[in-house]
Amino acid sequence: MSALAGKRIVLGVTGGIAAYKAIEVSRRLVDAGAHVVPIMTESAQHFIGTTTLSALASEPVQTDLWHNPSTPIPHTKFGQGADLILVAPATAKLLAAYRMGYSHDLLTNTLIATRAPVIVCPAMHTEMWEHPSVIDNIDTLRQRGVHVVEPESGRLAGGDVGAGRLASPEAIVAAAERVLGPRDLTGVQVIVSAGGTREPIDAVRVVANRSSGKQGYAVAAEALARGADVTLVSTVSLPAPVGAIVVPVETAAEMQAAIEQRAPSADVIVMAAAVADFRPVAAASGKIKKQDGVPEVLLEPTPDILAGLGATKPARQVLVGFAAETDDLVANAQIKLTKKNLDLIVANDVGASQVGFAHDTNAVTLLRPDAEPVEIDLAAKRDVARAVINTIVEIRASTQTGKD
Ligand code: C5P
C-alpha cells in the first residue's frame, strides 16, 4: 500500500501556466489512494477550468472564502482536516503571502490554519525565481519546516529556457510519499544495482540480457521515499528517482568496480541487476566483418559481484540478491541465498506471464535464512519494492536487537 493511501491531501493550485500539470498530479495522487481536496486561487482559474480538476480530484474544487455552500467556516475547515497540503504550482505571490501570513483567499487561509505538513512546488520565470525576494521567502519557509520541491530547468512559457519550470508530477508525488511515508531508513546508505550488463563482442556488438531495470529503480525509489541515501548503479537510462545518485555503468567489470568502491560504507546493498554470467574473453577492436564468416566467440565467466560482497560483508550490512529463474525457483534461490551469504533473496519466475523483465508488474518469493518463504502475488513493481524494503527494515531491526 502506498504511503498516500487513505491520506487527505489538499492540492492548492495557483495562477501559473504550469497549473495544467496539477491535473496530472491530482490523478496520480488519486491513483495512489489519496483523497484529494482541490483548492484553486482566482488566478489559477484563468489557466485551467474548475470542471477538469473537479472531475479528476476526489471532490469538487473549492475556490470561495465567502460564499461556500459546503461549510460555514471555509477558512479553517480544509486546513484542519488535511494530512498534507501540497501547492503545485506555487507562484511568487503565493510564496510571499504564505511567508507573511497574509491570508486573503481560501488557499492562503488554509495554509495558515493547518498543522499538517506543507509542500510547495514553485514555478515561475527564471528572473522571478532568482529574485532576492523570492529566494528570501523560500529560505524563510524552509526554515519553518515547509518542504520545497525545487523547479527544474527547461522550457518556460513564451519560449524562454531556464530554471523555474514546475518539477515533474512524478517528482511532486514522490515528495508527498516521502513526507507522509515512514522514514525508517533515514540516513541509511543504500546501493541498488539495476539493469542488465552489456559485454562487448566487438566495437558494435554486445552480449546482453532482457532486464529492463524497472524493479531496481522501484527499489531505489522506495528506499528514497523512506529516507535512505541511495546510489543507483545502473546500465539503463530510465528517469532516475528524485534524489538518487546515479552511477552509469555498462559491463559487469564496471559494475563491480562501482559497487566495490562504495560497498564498505553501505548499510544495505540490493543487487537487482542482471549481471552477465559470461563475457567474451577479448572484444575485437573494430567491427567483425560479416564476409569473414561466423566468428568463434570464446567466453569466460564474469566475477560474481554478489558472492564477493557476501564473502567480505560487514556484520551491520544487509545484502540482498535477486534470482531470476525459469525452473525450480525456490530451491535454486535457496542455494544462492546460502552460497552467496545473503540476508535476503528475491526470487522471480521470469517465465511466468506479467512477471519479470520489461513488465510493470512482478510476483516474487522472498527468502531469508531461518525464516519461512514469503510469497508476494502479482503486484506493481513499486509494491514489490515496498515488500522488499519492509523486509530489509525488519532484518536491520532484528540485527540491531541482537547486538543489544
Ligand atoms: O547466480 P545468479 O546469477 O543467478 O545470481 C543472481 C544474483 O547474483 C543477482 O542478485 C545478481 O545481481 C547477482 N550477480 C552478480 N554477479 C554476477 C552474476 C550475478 O552480482 N556475475
Side-chain angles (χ1 to χ4, degrees):
M1 214 174 47
S2 161
L4 303 177
K7 294 292 193 300
R8 197 174 177 83
I9 301 180
V10 169
L11 175 61
V13 184
T14 67
I17 191 76
Y20 74 95
K21 291 187 188 165
I23 293 164
E24 174 67 11
V25 172
S26 174
R27 197 187 60 75
R28 284 176 184 242
L29 294 173
V30 170
D31 284 352
H35 182 95
V36 176
V37 181
I39 298 182
M40 284 168 66
T41 62
E42 197 188 334
S43 322
Q45 295 167 60
H46 290 288
F47 292 92
I48 58 167
T50 54
T51 318
T52 317
L53 193 54
S54 290
L56 290 165
S58 310
E59 51 181 74
V61 167
Q62 300 290 340
T63 56
D64 211 325
L65 187 58
W66 299 111
H67 311 101
N68 195 310
S70 65
T71 170
I73 40 161
H75 71 297
T76 55
K77 175 185 151 107
F78 302 106
Q80 283 176 343
D83 294 306
L84 172 71
I85 301 188
L86 174 62
V87 186
T91 54
K93 176 179 165 189
L94 180 281
L95 297 169
Y98 183 27
R99 184 247 169 109
M100 296 305 291
Y102 182 61
S103 44
H104 60 100
D105 64 3
L106 184 58
L107 181 57
T108 43
N109 269 278
T110 302
L111 283 165
I112 304 306
T114 194
R115 299 231 165 103
V118 174
I119 302 176
V120 293
C121 310
M124 60 199 76
H125 266 74
T126 311
E127 294 83 345
M128 298 173 78
W129 175 240
E130 291 176 351
H131 192 277
S133 64
V134 174
I135 292 172
D136 195 32
N137 290 336
I138 288 277
D139 283 350
T140 304
L141 290 173
R142 269 208 176 101
Q143 280 161 26
R144 291 180 191 156
V146 172
H147 304 269
V148 179
V149 180
E150 296 253 343
E152 300 172 347
S153 263
R155 237 184 65 201
L156 304 166
D160 293 346
V161 177
R165 191 171 70 169
L166 183 69
S168 68
E170 193 188 16
I172 294 170
V173 173
E177 284 178 332
R178 272 199 302 281
V179 170
L180 286 177
R183 305 285 290 168
D184 42 13
L185 289 180
T186 300
V188 175
Q189 304 293 317
V190 177
I191 299 175
V192 181
S193 69
T197 62
R198 289 181 293 276
E199 312 296 331
I201 297 172
D202 65 12
V204 294
R205 301 179 181 96
V206 292
V207 177
N209 64 63
R210 297 163 98 165
S211 171
S212 64
K214 286 180 183 174
Q215 185 63 73
Y217 273 60
V219 170
E222 180 64 19
L224 282 159
R226 311 272 283 255
D229 297 328
V230 176
T231 302
L232 186 52
V233 180
S234 169
T235 67
V236 292
S237 50
L238 292 171
V242 179
I245 297 169
V246 181
V247 182
V249 295
E250 184 155 345
T251 64
E254 286 169 11
M255 184 171 278
Q256 181 183 29
I259 292 175
E260 286 183 353
Q261 185 198 339
R262 294 166 175 83
S265 56
D267 302 303
V268 176
I269 303 181
V270 181
M271 279 295 296
V275 185
D277 289 323
F278 306 104
R279 65 184 169 207
V281 170
S285 55
K287 182 183 172 190
I288 298 171
K289 299 275 179 300
K290 193 167 154 186
Q291 54 270 35
D292 294 344
V294 179
E296 264 191 22
V297 179
L298 188 62
L299 300 177
E300 65 178 6
T302 53
D304 192 318
I305 306 168
L306 192 54
L309 295 170
T312 55
K313 187 166 84 79
R316 64 174 166 80
Q317 196 174 71
V318 178
L319 193 55
V320 182
F322 272 66
E325 304 285 348
T326 51
D327 314 284
D328 298 328
L329 177 68
V330 171
N332 280 326
Q334 191 77 51
I335 293 169
K336 288 173 192 175
L337 176 74
T338 313
K339 218 169 99 187
K340 301 193 188 194
N341 189 28
L342 309 180
D343 299 291
L344 169 66
I345 193 152
V346 184
N348 62 330
D349 176 358
V350 285
S353 73
Q354 303 301 302
V355 172
F357 302 140
H359 295 295
D360 289 323
T361 48
N362 213 352
V364 302
T365 306
L366 305 182
L367 299 170
R368 285 166 62 180
D370 313 320
E372 287 297 309
V374 176
E375 283 186 29
I376 311 291
D377 293 337
L378 192 68
K381 284 187 169 169
R382 182 59 187 265
D383 293 330
V384 171
R386 193 168 301 117
V388 172
I389 295 291
N390 287 344
T391 310
I392 291 171
V393 169
E394 257 175 49
I395 296 170
R396 281 175 50 78
S398 64
T399 320
Q400 277 152 17
T401 316
K403 271 188 209 146
D404 290 343

